[in-house]
Amino acid sequence: METTSAKQDRIGARVPHDVYETLCRAAELTGATVNQFLVQSALKEAHAVIEREDVIRLSPSGWNWLLDLVENPPEPNAKLKAAISRYRKTMRDDADTPFNWEP
């Protein structure tokens, strides 16, 4: 029977001795090795950072404001009309390029 193993990479870090001692103590208190503790802690922080960047949080009033804008968008202002006009002109000018596509 053949087993497959997941590819693993190595991460190394040099830290001051007092930092190392603190990490060792924390790892011991959690029942993990220093390596396990570092990986678990770093992964937890990595997930938190990614969530902060990927998730938009709104208050209930902010959510209601956003839904109202989606359901009742305001009339386009002059800058938006100019941008739409430039976009349409660009699309017409690029009509004979091989990258022209219709959404």
Side-chain angles (χ1 to χ4, degrees), residues 58 60-77 80:
L58 296 172
S61 62
W63 176 250
N64 289 332
W65 171 78
L66 181 61
L67 284 180
D68 184 54
L69 281 177
V70 169
E71 292 173 356
N72 306 300
E75 291 295 319
N77 63 19
L80 181 56

Side-chain angles (χ1 to χ4, degrees), residues 4-53:
T4 59
S5 61
K7 183 178 186 249
Q8 293 187 339
D9 294 313
R10 178 174 292 277
I11 298 174
R14 296 204 178 274
V15 296
H17 184 70
D18 60 326
V19 171
Y20 178 75
E21 285 181 343
T22 302
L23 294 171
C24 285
R25 181 160 185 249
E28 184 179 325
L29 290 170
T30 62
T33 65
V34 174
N35 192 52
Q36 290 168 333
F37 181 79
L38 287 173
V39 171
Q40 290 168 357
S41 300
L43 189 57
K44 182 179 176 182
E45 181 64 17
H47 285 301
V49 168
I50 291 168
E51 182 178 347
R52 263 195 324 265
E53 294 300 316

Side-chain angles (χ1 to χ4, degrees), residues 77-93:
N77 63 19
K79 286 185 178 183
L80 181 56
K81 288 177 182 178
I84 291 169
S85 177
R86 284 191 309 273
Y87 172 78
R88 287 184 177 151
K89 181 184 180 317
T90 301
M91 293 309 290
R92 278 193 310 272
D93 291 348

